[in-house]
Amino acid sequence: MAYLFVDKFQIALVLSGFLVSWVVVVIIYRLYLHPAAKFAGPRVAALTYFYEFYYDVWQGGQYTWKIRDLHKQYVKKVEKLCTRLEQKSYDTIKIVSITHAFVALTLDIISRVCFGYSYETLEPEEFAQQWYHDMSSASRGTNLVRHFPWVLQFVAWLPKRMTQAAVEGVLVAKKRRLDFVQRVTAVVERHAQGQKPPNDVFTVFDAMLDADVPHQEKSIARLSEEAQTTIAAGTLTTANALDATIYYLLSNSECLSRLREELHIAMPDPALMPSFVELERLPYLTAVVSEGLRLSKGVLHRLARVSPDVPYRHGNVVIPRGIAVSMSSISVLEHTGIFPDPHAFKPERWLPLDAPEVRQRRKSLIVFGGGSRMCVGLHLAWAELYLTVAAVVRRFGGRLSLHDVVFERDVKITVDGFNALPSHESKGLRVFVAAEIEKENAPARMTL
């Protein structure tokens, strides 16, 4: 028995030696011999992805800070939003979560674009409160899933000591994915029977099913993943941009007054909405929407790119093929050389629209990405932004005031959860909606 004990001990010692030697070799290779070793940055980041994991998961996302032809459908939803706000103005409690309202608007639009019917989240008293909570939680959980994709399969066995917000987000994502599977299955079955979409409207998934692509690209699993991505991308990002735009307008009376003057001329009757094309021609509205979009950050997370076949050069550095390189959009959107005083809301930086420096600056408004991976729904997002900001400001610009809004808590982007998110303590953007007869004497309710 003593011999066996010594033998096992010696084996363990030899294995430990091999393990230590392997770790040392890996450290030396990654720090000095790896093709990416000469890249600037913390040395611990060159050693292990757990450096990124620490900031993304443990620190809660801190590592980085045909569409126009659907105009009438957008307008109907925007009109519904305005109708609901008008109703709220005559309630006993006139406080509205404009955050939940904007999520309801964008969700109803993108669900119709995807499936041919709307989720109708503008109808409930609380708008899309639950959807916002679920999407925010799922977004905060993406950092954990990105580092450990298998978490979705084993979420029920995760230890309680893991970050609560991240675990909750994974559970929410799993619940929503099951919902998308059911909805996509219904679309596939309808399409297989030769039935047209509801109201014979264009839908993303009918277009996918009609596409000349291999059959495996049209599987329920694949289309369900597309549904999850499309609904999420078409809801929270645009709603966040609307949130930011309205917040900064209500916080800057001069900007709000100037925009109201422009819209009063363009929309003499506030109930008659101009087309998206007509609204695009309004210079100050365009400047306001662009600045609100910039400050909302869009998708904040680092979007990695890999050159699979050939190396490429950045300055004096040659980046070998197969090396993932990524950058957060915030590095550009807050670059002081491009956007002086980058944290300030200054629509004037986008005027005049045809000035050479403004044209150049617009190239740096990269909230929709760029190149072959540019957001496919950017025209839809622009239409929603123009139509919604124009309608809300024209009808309610003098009747809205911020209610218990603290910038650092409720608005400031502090979390990279793929989407740009405010703090965990955020109450969202809440506004007081005065009735038409009250607007002249509406009290100031803004808290900054």
Side-chain angles (χ1 to χ4, degrees), residues 151-195:
V151 165
L152 283 173
Q153 303 299 323
F154 299 98
V155 65
W157 293 275
L158 284 175
K160 294 182 179 180
R161 63 178 178 272
M162 294 289 286
T163 306
Q164 183 177 356
V167 173
E168 179 186 19
V170 173
L171 289 169
V172 167
K174 188 174 183 178
K175 180 182 71 173
R176 289 299 181 198
R177 187 160 63 173
L178 292 175
D179 175 69
F180 291 135
V181 169
Q182 294 175 352
R183 295 181 185 275
V184 166
T185 301
V187 172
V188 171
E189 292 176 350
R190 171 181 58 71
H191 190 273
Q193 295 170 5
Q195 299 177 8

mmCIF file of all heavy atoms in Angstrom, residues 151-195:
data_model
loop_
_atom_site.group_PDB
_atom_site.id
_atom_site.type_symbol
_atom_site.label_atom_id
_atom_site.label_comp_id
_atom_site.label_asym_id
_atom_site.label_seq_id
_atom_site.Cartn_x
_atom_site.Cartn_y
_atom_site.Cartn_z
ATOM 1 N N VAL A 151 -24.578 28.054 -21.101
ATOM 2 C CA VAL A 151 -25.389 28.438 -19.939
ATOM 3 C C VAL A 151 -26.875 28.309 -20.240
ATOM 4 O O VAL A 151 -27.662 27.915 -19.380
ATOM 5 C CB VAL A 151 -25.044 29.879 -19.502
ATOM 6 C CG1 VAL A 151 -26.110 30.421 -18.560
ATOM 7 C CG2 VAL A 151 -23.697 29.902 -18.799
ATOM 8 N N LEU A 152 -27.272 28.619 -21.471
ATOM 9 C CA LEU A 152 -28.684 28.525 -21.828
ATOM 10 C C LEU A 152 -29.220 27.108 -21.656
ATOM 11 O O LEU A 152 -30.386 26.913 -21.334
ATOM 12 C CB LEU A 152 -28.899 28.983 -23.275
ATOM 13 C CG LEU A 152 -28.887 30.492 -23.509
ATOM 14 C CD1 LEU A 152 -28.939 30.783 -25.004
ATOM 15 C CD2 LEU A 152 -30.049 31.163 -22.794
ATOM 16 N N GLN A 153 -28.372 26.116 -21.858
ATOM 17 C CA GLN A 153 -28.798 24.730 -21.743
ATOM 18 C C GLN A 153 -28.821 24.245 -20.299
ATOM 19 O O GLN A 153 -29.533 23.310 -19.960
ATOM 20 C CB GLN A 153 -27.864 23.827 -22.578
ATOM 21 C CG GLN A 153 -27.795 24.207 -24.049
ATOM 22 C CD GLN A 153 -29.140 24.099 -24.727
ATOM 23 O OE1 GLN A 153 -29.925 23.200 -24.431
ATOM 24 N NE2 GLN A 153 -29.419 25.021 -25.638
ATOM 25 N N PHE A 154 -28.027 24.883 -19.459
ATOM 26 C CA PHE A 154 -27.911 24.411 -18.080
ATOM 27 C C PHE A 154 -28.294 25.485 -17.066
ATOM 28 O O PHE A 154 -27.852 25.456 -15.919
ATOM 29 C CB PHE A 154 -26.469 23.952 -17.812
ATOM 30 C CG PHE A 154 -26.032 22.830 -18.688
ATOM 31 C CD1 PHE A 154 -25.277 23.089 -19.823
ATOM 32 C CD2 PHE A 154 -26.386 21.530 -18.414
ATOM 33 C CE1 PHE A 154 -24.871 22.061 -20.655
ATOM 34 C CE2 PHE A 154 -25.983 20.497 -19.246
ATOM 35 C CZ PHE A 154 -25.227 20.750 -20.368
ATOM 36 N N VAL A 155 -29.137 26.407 -17.480
ATOM 37 C CA VAL A 155 -29.446 27.544 -16.629
ATOM 38 C C VAL A 155 -30.118 27.126 -15.329
ATOM 39 O O VAL A 155 -29.962 27.781 -14.295
ATOM 40 C CB VAL A 155 -30.332 28.550 -17.396
ATOM 41 C CG1 VAL A 155 -31.695 27.943 -17.719
ATOM 42 C CG2 VAL A 155 -30.510 29.837 -16.608
ATOM 43 N N ALA A 156 -30.844 26.044 -15.358
ATOM 44 C CA ALA A 156 -31.548 25.610 -14.146
ATOM 45 C C ALA A 156 -30.590 25.175 -13.050
ATOM 46 O O ALA A 156 -30.955 25.160 -11.868
ATOM 47 C CB ALA A 156 -32.497 24.461 -14.476
ATOM 48 N N TRP A 157 -29.353 24.841 -13.436
ATOM 49 C CA TRP A 157 -28.387 24.367 -12.441
ATOM 50 C C TRP A 157 -27.358 25.424 -12.057
ATOM 51 O O TRP A 157 -26.404 25.127 -11.353
ATOM 52 C CB TRP A 157 -27.658 23.129 -12.973
ATOM 53 C CG TRP A 157 -28.591 21.961 -13.105
ATOM 54 C CD1 TRP A 157 -28.952 21.066 -12.141
ATOM 55 C CD2 TRP A 157 -29.289 21.569 -14.288
ATOM 56 N NE1 TRP A 157 -29.829 20.147 -12.641
ATOM 57 C CE2 TRP A 157 -30.067 20.430 -13.966
ATOM 58 C CE3 TRP A 157 -29.360 22.074 -15.590
ATOM 59 C CZ2 TRP A 157 -30.881 19.779 -14.881
ATOM 60 C CZ3 TRP A 157 -30.165 21.441 -16.512
ATOM 61 C CH2 TRP A 157 -30.912 20.309 -16.159
ATOM 62 N N LEU A 158 -27.554 26.662 -12.500
ATOM 63 C CA LEU A 158 -26.583 27.703 -12.167
ATOM 64 C C LEU A 158 -26.587 27.980 -10.669
ATOM 65 O O LEU A 158 -27.657 28.065 -10.050
ATOM 66 C CB LEU A 158 -26.912 28.998 -12.912
ATOM 67 C CG LEU A 158 -26.555 29.042 -14.394
ATOM 68 C CD1 LEU A 158 -27.063 30.336 -14.996
ATOM 69 C CD2 LEU A 158 -25.052 28.937 -14.590
ATOM 70 N N PRO A 159 -25.415 28.143 -10.046
ATOM 71 C CA PRO A 159 -25.363 28.452 -8.612
ATOM 72 C C PRO A 159 -25.909 29.834 -8.314
ATOM 73 O O PRO A 159 -25.759 30.765 -9.109
ATOM 74 C CB PRO A 159 -23.857 28.382 -8.290
ATOM 75 C CG PRO A 159 -23.188 28.619 -9.602
ATOM 76 C CD PRO A 159 -24.076 28.018 -10.648
ATOM 77 N N LYS A 160 -26.549 29.990 -7.185
ATOM 78 C CA LYS A 160 -27.190 31.251 -6.820
ATOM 79 C C LYS A 160 -26.196 32.378 -6.630
ATOM 80 O O LYS A 160 -26.564 33.548 -6.699
ATOM 81 C CB LYS A 160 -28.015 31.067 -5.543
ATOM 82 C CG LYS A 160 -29.206 30.135 -5.723
ATOM 83 C CD LYS A 160 -30.016 30.039 -4.436
ATOM 84 C CE LYS A 160 -31.214 29.128 -4.622
ATOM 85 N NZ LYS A 160 -32.003 29.018 -3.374
ATOM 86 N N ARG A 161 -24.936 32.032 -6.373
ATOM 87 C CA ARG A 161 -23.961 33.091 -6.132
ATOM 88 C C ARG A 161 -23.564 33.821 -7.407
ATOM 89 O O ARG A 161 -22.895 34.841 -7.361
ATOM 90 C CB ARG A 161 -22.698 32.528 -5.468
ATOM 91 C CG ARG A 161 -21.938 31.523 -6.332
ATOM 92 C CD ARG A 161 -20.682 31.060 -5.613
ATOM 93 N NE ARG A 161 -19.965 30.063 -6.377
ATOM 94 C CZ ARG A 161 -20.178 28.765 -6.309
ATOM 95 N NH1 ARG A 161 -21.130 28.304 -5.512
ATOM 96 N NH2 ARG A 161 -19.476 27.917 -7.029
ATOM 97 N N MET A 162 -23.968 33.278 -8.575
ATOM 98 C CA MET A 162 -23.698 33.986 -9.824
ATOM 99 C C MET A 162 -24.479 35.291 -9.835
ATOM 100 O O MET A 162 -25.467 35.446 -9.130
ATOM 101 C CB MET A 162 -24.115 33.132 -11.019
ATOM 102 C CG MET A 162 -23.279 31.870 -11.191
ATOM 103 S SD MET A 162 -21.608 32.221 -11.756
ATOM 104 C CE MET A 162 -21.925 32.630 -13.455
ATOM 105 N N THR A 163 -24.033 36.211 -10.651
ATOM 106 C CA THR A 163 -24.673 37.524 -10.724
ATOM 107 C C THR A 163 -26.153 37.372 -10.986
ATOM 108 O O THR A 163 -26.566 36.786 -11.982
ATOM 109 C CB THR A 163 -24.039 38.363 -11.850
ATOM 110 O OG1 THR A 163 -22.637 38.398 -11.642
ATOM 111 C CG2 THR A 163 -24.604 39.772 -11.854
ATOM 112 N N GLN A 164 -26.985 37.917 -10.088
ATOM 113 C CA GLN A 164 -28.424 37.734 -10.161
ATOM 114 C C GLN A 164 -29.000 38.293 -11.451
ATOM 115 O O GLN A 164 -29.824 37.661 -12.114
ATOM 116 C CB GLN A 164 -29.103 38.409 -8.969
ATOM 117 C CG GLN A 164 -30.614 38.191 -8.939
ATOM 118 C CD GLN A 164 -31.252 38.802 -7.709
ATOM 119 O OE1 GLN A 164 -30.557 39.325 -6.849
ATOM 120 N NE2 GLN A 164 -32.557 38.718 -7.631
ATOM 121 N N ALA A 165 -28.571 39.485 -11.843
ATOM 122 C CA ALA A 165 -29.118 40.107 -13.052
ATOM 123 C C ALA A 165 -28.801 39.278 -14.286
ATOM 124 O O ALA A 165 -29.634 39.122 -15.170
ATOM 125 C CB ALA A 165 -28.561 41.524 -13.213
ATOM 126 N N ALA A 166 -27.587 38.740 -14.339
ATOM 127 C CA ALA A 166 -27.202 37.952 -15.503
ATOM 128 C C ALA A 166 -28.006 36.669 -15.589
ATOM 129 O O ALA A 166 -28.485 36.276 -16.645
ATOM 130 C CB ALA A 166 -25.697 37.645 -15.447
ATOM 131 N N VAL A 167 -28.189 35.966 -14.448
ATOM 132 C CA VAL A 167 -28.958 34.735 -14.432
ATOM 133 C C VAL A 167 -30.402 35.012 -14.823
ATOM 134 O O VAL A 167 -31.013 34.286 -15.600
ATOM 135 C CB VAL A 167 -28.885 34.065 -13.045
ATOM 136 C CG1 VAL A 167 -29.819 32.868 -12.985
ATOM 137 C CG2 VAL A 167 -27.460 33.649 -12.735
ATOM 138 N N GLU A 168 -30.964 36.070 -14.279
ATOM 139 C CA GLU A 168 -32.323 36.434 -14.622
ATOM 140 C C GLU A 168 -32.439 36.694 -16.121
ATOM 141 O O GLU A 168 -33.402 36.274 -16.770
ATOM 142 C CB GLU A 168 -32.744 37.692 -13.850
ATOM 143 C CG GLU A 168 -34.162 38.143 -14.175
ATOM 144 C CD GLU A 168 -34.520 39.471 -13.517
ATOM 145 O OE1 GLU A 168 -33.592 40.204 -13.130
ATOM 146 O OE2 GLU A 168 -35.714 39.770 -13.420
ATOM 147 N N GLY A 169 -31.450 37.371 -16.665
ATOM 148 C CA GLY A 169 -31.468 37.658 -18.083
ATOM 149 C C GLY A 169 -31.457 36.392 -18.932
ATOM 150 O O GLY A 169 -32.139 36.312 -19.957
ATOM 151 N N VAL A 170 -30.691 35.387 -18.508
ATOM 152 C CA VAL A 170 -30.637 34.133 -19.243
ATOM 153 C C VAL A 170 -31.991 33.432 -19.200
ATOM 154 O O VAL A 170 -32.476 32.900 -20.203
ATOM 155 C CB VAL A 170 -29.538 33.219 -18.667
ATOM 156 C CG1 VAL A 170 -29.588 31.844 -19.307
ATOM 157 C CG2 VAL A 170 -28.167 33.847 -18.875
ATOM 158 N N LEU A 171 -32.635 33.425 -18.048
ATOM 159 C CA LEU A 171 -33.959 32.816 -17.918
ATOM 160 C C LEU A 171 -34.974 33.514 -18.813
ATOM 161 O O LEU A 171 -35.791 32.869 -19.474
ATOM 162 C CB LEU A 171 -34.417 32.877 -16.457
ATOM 163 C CG LEU A 171 -33.689 31.961 -15.478
ATOM 164 C CD1 LEU A 171 -34.055 32.328 -14.045
ATOM 165 C CD2 LEU A 171 -34.048 30.501 -15.748
ATOM 166 N N VAL A 172 -34.921 34.832 -18.839
ATOM 167 C CA VAL A 172 -35.838 35.608 -19.672
ATOM 168 C C VAL A 172 -35.613 35.304 -21.143
ATOM 169 O O VAL A 172 -36.560 35.112 -21.914
ATOM 170 C CB VAL A 172 -35.672 37.116 -19.398
ATOM 171 C CG1 VAL A 172 -36.373 37.941 -20.469
ATOM 172 C CG2 VAL A 172 -36.234 37.465 -18.027
ATOM 173 N N ALA A 173 -34.338 35.261 -21.548
ATOM 174 C CA ALA A 173 -34.024 34.971 -22.944
ATOM 175 C C ALA A 173 -34.553 33.607 -23.354
ATOM 176 O O ALA A 173 -35.074 33.431 -24.466
ATOM 177 C CB ALA A 173 -32.510 35.047 -23.161
ATOM 178 N N LYS A 174 -34.449 32.640 -22.461
ATOM 179 C CA LYS A 174 -34.942 31.298 -22.754
ATOM 180 C C LYS A 174 -36.458 31.308 -22.904
ATOM 181 O O LYS A 174 -37.019 30.679 -23.820
ATOM 182 C CB LYS A 174 -34.527 30.336 -21.640
ATOM 183 C CG LYS A 174 -34.832 28.885 -21.943
ATOM 184 C CD LYS A 174 -34.252 27.969 -20.871
ATOM 185 C CE LYS A 174 -34.498 26.503 -21.207
ATOM 186 N NZ LYS A 174 -33.903 25.603 -20.188
ATOM 187 N N LYS A 175 -37.156 32.032 -22.041
ATOM 188 C CA LYS A 175 -38.619 32.128 -22.113
ATOM 189 C C LYS A 175 -39.059 32.772 -23.420
ATOM 190 O O LYS A 175 -39.969 32.274 -24.095
ATOM 191 C CB LYS A 175 -39.149 32.943 -20.929
ATOM 192 C CG LYS A 175 -40.667 33.087 -20.923
ATOM 193 C CD LYS A 175 -41.128 33.947 -19.752
ATOM 194 C CE LYS A 175 -40.761 35.406 -19.945
ATOM 195 N NZ LYS A 175 -41.336 36.281 -18.901
ATOM 196 N N ARG A 176 -38.417 33.858 -23.797
ATOM 197 C CA ARG A 176 -38.782 34.544 -25.029
ATOM 198 C C ARG A 176 -38.472 33.689 -26.252
ATOM 199 O O ARG A 176 -39.206 33.722 -27.248
ATOM 200 C CB ARG A 176 -38.051 35.881 -25.114
ATOM 201 C CG ARG A 176 -38.552 36.932 -24.144
ATOM 202 C CD ARG A 176 -39.998 37.262 -24.380
ATOM 203 N NE ARG A 176 -40.488 38.286 -23.463
ATOM 204 C CZ ARG A 176 -41.771 38.513 -23.227
ATOM 205 N NH1 ARG A 176 -42.699 37.771 -23.824
ATOM 206 N NH2 ARG A 176 -42.135 39.463 -22.392
ATOM 207 N N ARG A 177 -37.408 32.921 -26.182
ATOM 208 C CA ARG A 177 -37.052 32.094 -27.328
ATOM 209 C C ARG A 177 -38.123 31.038 -27.595
ATOM 210 O O ARG A 177 -38.454 30.757 -28.752
ATOM 211 C CB ARG A 177 -35.695 31.424 -27.114
ATOM 212 C CG ARG A 177 -35.208 30.679 -28.343
ATOM 213 C CD ARG A 177 -33.725 30.440 -28.334
ATOM 214 N NE ARG A 177 -33.299 29.599 -27.235
ATOM 215 C CZ ARG A 177 -32.050 29.147 -27.107
ATOM 216 N NH1 ARG A 177 -31.139 29.499 -27.982
ATOM 217 N NH2 ARG A 177 -31.724 28.376 -26.089
ATOM 218 N N LEU A 178 -38.688 30.479 -26.550
ATOM 219 C CA LEU A 178 -39.768 29.520 -26.716
ATOM 220 C C LEU A 178 -40.986 30.181 -27.367
ATOM 221 O O LEU A 178 -41.665 29.580 -28.201
ATOM 222 C CB LEU A 178 -40.152 28.924 -25.349
ATOM 223 C CG LEU A 178 -39.100 28.028 -24.689
ATOM 224 C CD1 LEU A 178 -39.560 27.622 -23.294
ATOM 225 C CD2 LEU A 178 -38.821 26.802 -25.531
ATOM 226 N N ASP A 179 -41.250 31.423 -26.998
ATOM 227 C CA ASP A 179 -42.355 32.164 -27.594
ATOM 228 C C ASP A 179 -42.113 32.383 -29.087
ATOM 229 O O ASP A 179 -43.028 32.218 -29.909
ATOM 230 C CB ASP A 179 -42.516 33.507 -26.881
ATOM 231 C CG ASP A 179 -43.581 34.385 -27.533
ATOM 232 O OD1 ASP A 179 -44.775 34.045 -27.455
ATOM 233 O OD2 ASP A 179 -43.206 35.419 -28.125
ATOM 234 N N PHE A 180 -40.872 32.715 -29.440
ATOM 235 C CA PHE A 180 -40.552 32.940 -30.845
ATOM 236 C C PHE A 180 -40.667 31.649 -31.657
ATOM 237 O O PHE A 180 -41.077 31.679 -32.821
ATOM 238 C CB PHE A 180 -39.153 33.531 -30.994
ATOM 239 C CG PHE A 180 -39.036 34.937 -30.482
ATOM 240 C CD1 PHE A 180 -37.965 35.319 -29.690
ATOM 241 C CD2 PHE A 180 -40.001 35.877 -30.776
ATOM 242 C CE1 PHE A 180 -37.857 36.614 -29.209
ATOM 243 C CE2 PHE A 180 -39.903 37.177 -30.299
ATOM 244 C CZ PHE A 180 -38.831 37.543 -29.522
ATOM 245 N N VAL A 181 -40.308 30.520 -31.059
ATOM 246 C CA VAL A 181 -40.441 29.234 -31.749
ATOM 247 C C VAL A 181 -41.901 28.990 -32.122
ATOM 248 O O VAL A 181 -42.215 28.565 -33.241
ATOM 249 C CB VAL A 181 -39.905 28.085 -30.873
ATOM 250 C CG1 VAL A 181 -40.286 26.733 -31.462
ATOM 251 C CG2 VAL A 181 -38.385 28.179 -30.734
ATOM 252 N N GLN A 182 -42.808 29.276 -31.194
ATOM 253 C CA GLN A 182 -44.229 29.077 -31.463
ATOM 254 C C GLN A 182 -44.719 29.996 -32.575
ATOM 255 O O GLN A 182 -45.464 29.576 -33.469
ATOM 256 C CB GLN A 182 -45.030 29.323 -30.180
ATOM 257 C CG GLN A 182 -44.757 28.300 -29.082
ATOM 258 C CD GLN A 182 -45.474 28.640 -27.786
ATOM 259 O OE1 GLN A 182 -46.056 29.709 -27.637
ATOM 260 N NE2 GLN A 182 -45.438 27.718 -26.830
ATOM 261 N N ARG A 183 -44.294 31.246 -32.534
ATOM 262 C CA ARG A 183 -44.752 32.208 -33.542
ATOM 263 C C ARG A 183 -44.180 31.892 -34.924
ATOM 264 O O ARG A 183 -44.876 32.003 -35.936
ATOM 265 C CB ARG A 183 -44.384 33.636 -33.109
ATOM 266 C CG ARG A 183 -45.107 34.082 -31.842
ATOM 267 C CD ARG A 183 -44.747 35.507 -31.457
ATOM 268 N NE ARG A 183 -45.347 35.867 -30.180
ATOM 269 C CZ ARG A 183 -46.590 36.326 -30.025
ATOM 270 N NH1 ARG A 183 -47.366 36.476 -31.085
ATOM 271 N NH2 ARG A 183 -47.047 36.642 -28.829
ATOM 272 N N VAL A 184 -42.925 31.513 -34.975
ATOM 273 C CA VAL A 184 -42.305 31.171 -36.252
ATOM 274 C C VAL A 184 -42.937 29.897 -36.815
ATOM 275 O O VAL A 184 -43.184 29.790 -38.026
ATOM 276 C CB VAL A 184 -40.783 31.002 -36.090
ATOM 277 C CG1 VAL A 184 -40.181 30.331 -37.313
ATOM 278 C CG2 VAL A 184 -40.130 32.354 -35.861
ATOM 279 N N THR A 185 -43.212 28.928 -35.966
ATOM 280 C CA THR A 185 -43.861 27.696 -36.411
ATOM 281 C C THR A 185 -45.204 27.991 -37.071
ATOM 282 O O THR A 185 -45.542 27.415 -38.115
ATOM 283 C CB THR A 185 -44.063 26.731 -35.228
ATOM 284 O OG1 THR A 185 -42.792 26.418 -34.651
ATOM 285 C CG2 THR A 185 -44.735 25.448 -35.686
ATOM 286 N N ALA A 186 -45.954 28.923 -36.472
ATOM 287 C CA ALA A 186 -47.247 29.297 -37.053
ATOM 288 C C ALA A 186 -47.074 29.924 -38.438
ATOM 289 O O ALA A 186 -47.853 29.651 -39.360
ATOM 290 C CB ALA A 186 -47.975 30.262 -36.114
ATOM 291 N N VAL A 187 -46.048 30.762 -38.596
ATOM 292 C CA VAL A 187 -45.782 31.395 -39.897
ATOM 293 C C VAL A 187 -45.390 30.338 -40.925
ATOM 294 O O VAL A 187 -45.872 30.348 -42.071
ATOM 295 C CB VAL A 187 -44.676 32.454 -39.768
ATOM 296 C CG1 VAL A 187 -44.272 32.976 -41.151
ATOM 297 C CG2 VAL A 187 -45.132 33.612 -38.897
ATOM 298 N N VAL A 188 -44.524 29.412 -40.545
ATOM 299 C CA VAL A 188 -44.065 28.368 -41.461
ATOM 300 C C VAL A 188 -45.242 27.492 -41.905
ATOM 301 O O VAL A 188 -45.382 27.160 -43.093
ATOM 302 C CB VAL A 188 -42.969 27.510 -40.805
ATOM 303 C CG1 VAL A 188 -42.636 26.295 -41.662
ATOM 304 C CG2 VAL A 188 -41.714 28.343 -40.565
ATOM 305 N N GLU A 189 -46.107 27.114 -40.968
ATOM 306 C CA GLU A 189 -47.266 26.281 -41.316
ATOM 307 C C GLU A 189 -48.227 27.030 -42.231
ATOM 308 O O GLU A 189 -48.758 26.449 -43.191
ATOM 309 C CB GLU A 189 -47.963 25.836 -40.035
ATOM 310 C CG GLU A 189 -47.140 24.848 -39.203
ATOM 311 C CD GLU A 189 -47.803 24.498 -37.890
ATOM 312 O OE1 GLU A 189 -48.813 25.165 -37.540
ATOM 313 O OE2 GLU A 189 -47.321 23.568 -37.203
ATOM 314 N N ARG A 190 -48.463 28.302 -41.961
ATOM 315 C CA ARG A 190 -49.343 29.100 -42.831
ATOM 316 C C ARG A 190 -48.758 29.205 -44.231
ATOM 317 O O ARG A 190 -49.459 29.068 -45.238
ATOM 318 C CB ARG A 190 -49.534 30.493 -42.227
ATOM 319 C CG ARG A 190 -50.247 31.458 -43.174
ATOM 320 C CD ARG A 190 -50.406 32.831 -42.583
ATOM 321 N NE ARG A 190 -49.165 33.469 -42.193
ATOM 322 C CZ ARG A 190 -48.258 33.934 -43.046
ATOM 323 N NH1 ARG A 190 -48.433 33.806 -44.354
ATOM 324 N NH2 ARG A 190 -47.150 34.502 -42.602
ATOM 325 N N HIS A 191 -47.450 29.472 -44.282
ATOM 326 C CA HIS A 191 -46.781 29.626 -45.571
ATOM 327 C C HIS A 191 -46.821 28.319 -46.358
ATOM 328 O O HIS A 191 -47.013 28.323 -47.590
ATOM 329 C CB HIS A 191 -45.328 30.070 -45.344
ATOM 330 C CG HIS A 191 -44.612 30.477 -46.586
ATOM 331 N ND1 HIS A 191 -43.959 29.562 -47.383
ATOM 332 C CD2 HIS A 191 -44.449 31.686 -47.189
ATOM 333 C CE1 HIS A 191 -43.408 30.182 -48.405
ATOM 334 N NE2 HIS A 191 -43.686 31.481 -48.320
ATOM 335 N N ALA A 192 -46.649 27.190 -45.675
ATOM 336 C CA ALA A 192 -46.658 25.889 -46.345
ATOM 337 C C ALA A 192 -48.027 25.579 -46.945
ATOM 338 O O ALA A 192 -48.125 24.859 -47.953
ATOM 339 C CB ALA A 192 -46.256 24.799 -45.362
ATOM 340 N N GLN A 193 -49.077 26.122 -46.350
ATOM 341 C CA GLN A 193 -50.435 25.912 -46.848
ATOM 342 C C GLN A 193 -50.817 26.911 -47.931
ATOM 343 O O GLN A 193 -51.945 26.896 -48.436
ATOM 344 C CB GLN A 193 -51.427 26.019 -45.680
ATOM 345 C CG GLN A 193 -51.254 24.925 -44.638
ATOM 346 C CD GLN A 193 -52.078 25.178 -43.384
ATOM 347 O OE1 GLN A 193 -52.851 26.135 -43.321
ATOM 348 N NE2 GLN A 193 -51.903 24.318 -42.392
ATOM 349 N N GLY A 194 -49.872 27.783 -48.305
ATOM 350 C CA GLY A 194 -50.121 28.739 -49.365
ATOM 351 C C GLY A 194 -50.952 29.936 -48.954
ATOM 352 O O GLY A 194 -51.439 30.687 -49.812
ATOM 353 N N GLN A 195 -51.117 30.130 -47.648
ATOM 354 C CA GLN A 195 -51.901 31.260 -47.160
ATOM 355 C C GLN A 195 -51.046 32.520 -47.109
ATOM 356 O O GLN A 195 -49.853 32.469 -46.779
ATOM 357 C CB GLN A 195 -52.458 30.951 -45.772
ATOM 358 C CG GLN A 195 -53.381 29.755 -45.722
ATOM 359 C CD GLN A 195 -53.855 29.455 -44.313
ATOM 360 O OE1 GLN A 195 -53.621 30.226 -43.386
ATOM 361 N NE2 GLN A 195 -54.517 28.325 -44.144
#
